[in-house]
Amino acid sequence: MREREAVNGNRLMLVGAVLYLLEWVAIIPAGDTGPSELGKTASSTIVSLYQGHARGAGFIAGWCAVVLMGRILIVLGARQALRGVRHQALADWAVVVMGVSIAVEVVEVALIAGTSHATSAATVDDSVVVALDAVAGLLFNTVVAALGVSVAAASAAMLTSRRFPLWISVVGLLSGTLMMAGGVLLAGSGGEDGALRSTGLALQLGVPLFWLWMLAGGIYLWRQPRASGRAGAASA
């Protein structure tokens, strides 16, 4: 039998998860916008994704610059719950990497919005639109990979701390690993058919697992006492 410190309950993780999911408020009504599926879409179809979508793409860019910050709160909530644990540095690293993933994603959606405005105004050639679309697609893959690093690091800290239910930590580790590998493989495939692309697409299962992890972890922390520095229940 030994004593272990109870988790530091907080509301940051769940609030961040809800804020982040609000991105769908802009994505759904905007309809079809870029980026296209890298290497799998005809040039004319790519251009059509940007023509006449300037307003919707612009709203997504502005909206995401706000709601994507919820992802910072998600990992901050996990970090807050892990104060004083041996591997807290992993949770600190998760916060930094999550910030990087958000910065890259904001650049990606701003690039899509800018390309949509330029295309609607007929100020760029189709070849330029296709090139910018490819850049946006590759940026998205790097976002997924970086997001995976952040989730895996936070989940590893959660697992070693023994402050969270085992299944939540395992889901987070699995999600982070899948997203890291999927993002790298999809970017590395260059949009070409083959094992890299097929495997990368299959590994996108990590994204819904991330949603499960952040909601489950957020609900768990919401229900815990918001206190620190006290002993928890005894465990074998």
Side-chain angles (χ1 to χ4, degrees):
M1 301 286 290
R2 64 182 178 85
E3 296 288 326
R4 63 184 175 92
E5 187 178 1
V7 69
N8 300 308
N10 63 76
R11 298 180 177 179
L12 294 176
M13 194 171 189
L14 186 59
V15 170
V18 173
L19 178 61
Y20 164 53
L21 290 176
L22 286 176
E23 68 175 350
W24 293 100
V25 170
I27 293 174
I28 293 175
D32 290 333
T33 59
S36 66
E37 188 177 2
L38 185 63
K40 298 300 164 189
T41 309
S43 297
S44 58
T45 303
I46 292 175
V47 173
S48 69
L49 291 174
Y50 292 89
Q51 287 179 332
H53 294 104
R55 184 170 298 176
F59 181 63
I60 290 176
W63 185 252
C64 283
V66 176
V67 299
L68 289 182
M69 300 306 161
R71 293 213 304 256
I72 291 285
L73 290 180
I74 293 170
V75 286
L76 276 177
R79 178 181 179 276
Q80 178 73 9
L82 298 173
R83 286 184 301 176
V85 302
R86 183 177 54 167
H87 296 126
Q88 185 178 334
L90 284 172
D92 296 339
W93 185 39
V95 174
V96 174
V97 177
M98 186 64 82
V100 172
S101 77
I102 293 170
V104 174
E105 189 163 357
V106 169
V107 170
E108 179 223 348
V109 294
L111 175 62
I112 293 169
T115 303
S116 295
H117 280 280
T119 305
S120 298
T123 58
V124 294
D125 294 334
D126 289 356
S127 60
V128 175
V129 176
V130 173
L132 292 175
D133 176 76
V135 173
L138 286 171
L139 283 174
F140 177 76
N141 291 332
T142 64
V143 169
V144 174
L147 176 60
V149 173
S150 178
V151 174
S155 298
M158 291 162 60
L159 180 65
T160 57
S161 74
R162 294 172 53 86
R163 291 185 178 183
F164 283 79
L166 177 62
W167 75 269
I168 294 179
S169 302
V170 170
V171 167
L173 278 172
L174 179 60
S175 168
T177 302
L178 292 176
M179 288 192 293
M180 279 190 287
V184 170
L185 292 178
L186 284 176
S189 73
E192 298 179 1
D193 286 329
L196 287 182
R197 181 173 178 274
S198 298
T199 305
L201 289 173
L203 294 179
Q204 295 306 296
L205 174 64
V207 175
L209 287 178
F210 164 54
W211 298 338
L212 172 62
W213 172 79
M214 68 183 187
L215 290 171
I219 292 171
Y220 175 74
L221 288 180
W222 186 289
R223 299 176 62 184
Q224 303 308 304
R226 289 182 290 280
S228 61
R230 60 181 179 80
S235 63

